[in-house]
Amino acid sequence: MERVTEQAIFSSTTFREEREADWARLEELLGRAERGSVRRLSDDDLRELPILYRSALSALSVARSTSLDMALVAYLEGLCTRAYFFVYGVRTSFGQRVASFFSDDWPTSVRRIWRETLISFALMMAGTIAAYLLVSSDPNWFNSIIPGSLAGERGPEATTEALRATLYDDGGRNGLGVFATYLFTHNSQVSIFAFALGFAFGVPTALLMVYNGAILGAFTALFVERGLGFELGGWLLIHGSTELFAIILAGAAGLHIGTKIVFPGMDTRLAAARRAGRTAATAMIGVIVMLMFAGLLEGFGRQLITDDWTRYAIATGMFVTWCAYFYIPRITNGER
């Protein structure tokens, strides 16, 4: 007799009739939300949604435990899944996601690769010093280090006045915007290579950092030998404080992946590379943003601003700004 009574209580028909109105109401609210009209939901609607969700979830549990018809169980599973993503899912707009990237994601990823950043910087400096010493001792090394297409009219054969002119003259280019676009493209390619080559255990990335430093060192030796070291510093750093920082970070991102592949710790190499790749990729997206700034400074600021001290002031300001942006939040938040 009791068994018959239970069957009557939990029959699919009775079960559905008792709760169908709530399910329909939940479906109606979810339908409005999924059509992008969440803002049209009233405060009462928003308070009602989690209540209806828990009620549907309870009904699903009963339906499963009492072996009601499978069609009803499937319906409730679908309804509860939709409600779960609305009640507990992350709902952020594109603008909020972009704001989160600049306020948290990017600086956090840069702080996480601070060791690789120091290594990348050291590799670049090693190349700079080595090339500087080589070119200072024998100018013929300049042409061995710098490709002719990159050197242009800036070579050992150029006169001092010609070299000085390259620091303050845009070379008669028409349209600095085109020049800035070219430089942005070139520097982006260098940075992407430095990042992508990290997957080969970081070795090519390290070599690329050294070579970029060698280019810097060769140019510096040439101009210093002609007594134009101070002028070259202003010409280079007005954009280099951002550009070189970006390339160093790109190298650090590549080295981060490479070292995790070589030393995965307790993880598999694939898992370690995947986790390192997320951090490095976030840093790389920011590097592209930095290179855009550098391109503007190089294409416009450096060509339009010819006073050495103003160039140095802008370079210092940019470097301090980047360092503050990346590293002061770490101190403030007490991160390690």
Side-chain angles (χ1 to χ4, degrees):
M1 183 66 181
E2 289 182 358
R3 184 177 180 183
V4 173
T5 303
E6 287 179 3
Q7 288 176 344
I9 291 174
F10 292 109
S11 68
S12 295
T13 302
T14 305
F15 188 81
R16 180 188 292 272
E17 288 176 352
E18 289 176 347
R19 298 164 177 81
E20 203 164 30
D22 288 344
W23 301 342
R25 173 62 175 162
L26 179 59
E27 268 200 288
E28 189 262 333
L29 293 177
L30 290 174
R32 286 163 55 189
E34 290 168 350
R35 287 193 296 273
S37 56
V38 179
R39 294 179 181 178
R40 294 183 181 178
L41 296 180
S42 66
D43 292 342
D44 289 338
D45 293 337
L46 293 174
R47 280 192 290 270
E48 190 179 8
L49 256 169
I51 297 173
L52 293 172
Y53 165 62
R54 287 192 290 271
S55 174
L57 200 62
S58 174
L60 174 61
S61 177
V62 172
R64 283 173 171 168
S65 62
T66 55
S67 301
L68 293 178
D69 69 86
M70 294 306 297
L72 180 61
V73 172
Y75 165 76
L76 288 173
E77 286 178 341
L79 183 62
C80 290
T81 300
R82 291 169 60 197
Y84 172 83
F85 282 110
F86 181 83
V87 174
Y88 298 108
V90 178
R91 298 181 297 278
T92 57
S93 65
F94 176 76
Q96 290 172 325
R97 193 67 193 90
V98 171
S100 174
F101 173 80
F102 284 105
S103 65
D104 184 53
D105 296 351
W106 182 21
T108 298
S109 66
V110 170
R111 290 195 295 274
R112 285 177 179 168
I113 59 173
W114 67 271
R115 295 181 183 84
E116 292 85 351
T117 301
L118 292 177
I119 295 172
S120 181
F121 171 74
L123 291 169
M124 183 174 284
M125 287 306 301
T128 301
I129 294 171
Y132 181 88
L133 295 175
L134 287 172
V135 175
S136 296
S137 61
D138 182 358
N140 290 325
W141 275 101
F142 183 90
N143 293 325
S144 300
I145 297 173
I146 309 293
S149 58
L150 180 60
E153 66 272 26
R154 295 164 295 192
E157 67 284 352
T159 65
T160 300
E161 288 309 312
L163 290 177
R164 184 191 301 277
T166 63
L167 301 177
Y168 302 102
D169 187 357
D170 67 357
R173 294 180 178 86
N174 294 319
L176 295 179
V178 176
F179 183 47
T181 302
Y182 163 76
L183 293 170
F184 168 73
T185 304
H186 171 76
N187 295 328
S188 297
Q189 288 174 343
V190 172
S191 299
I192 290 172
F193 271 123
F195 167 68
L197 294 174
F199 286 94
F201 305 106
V203 174
T205 298
L207 296 176
L208 188 57
M209 288 297 102
V210 172
Y211 180 64
N212 271 286
I215 293 175
L216 186 63
F219 270 118
T220 302
L222 176 66
F223 280 80
V224 168
E225 190 272 334
R226 305 296 180 87
L228 297 172
F230 178 78
E231 292 84 350
L232 175 68
W235 178 86
L236 177 66
L237 292 177
I238 187 174
H239 77 285
S241 56
T242 296
E243 179 187 271
L244 295 178
F245 201 163
I247 294 176
I248 288 171
L249 289 179
L255 292 174
H256 182 65
I257 296 174
T259 53
K260 291 300 179 185
I261 293 175
V262 176
F263 307 106
M266 300 298 291
D267 295 329
T268 64
R269 281 191 166 80
L270 182 60
R274 187 185 300 118
R275 188 166 55 252
R278 284 195 290 268
T279 299
T282 303
M284 271 303 299
I285 294 172
V287 163
I288 300 301
V289 175
M290 292 181 73
L291 290 174
M292 292 175 66
F293 276 103
L296 292 174
L297 288 170
E298 190 164 9
F300 293 90
R302 192 175 69 183
Q303 307 300 331
L304 300 176
I305 300 172
T306 56
D307 179 72
D308 294 326
W309 288 108
T310 303
R311 286 177 170 178
Y312 274 103
I314 293 174
T316 303
M318 291 303 300
F319 181 72
V320 171
T321 299
W322 287 120
C323 287
Y325 171 65
F326 289 133
Y327 300 113
I328 282 184
R330 180 186 180 189
I331 298 173
T332 302
N333 295 332
E335 296 179 15
R336 295 178 182 278

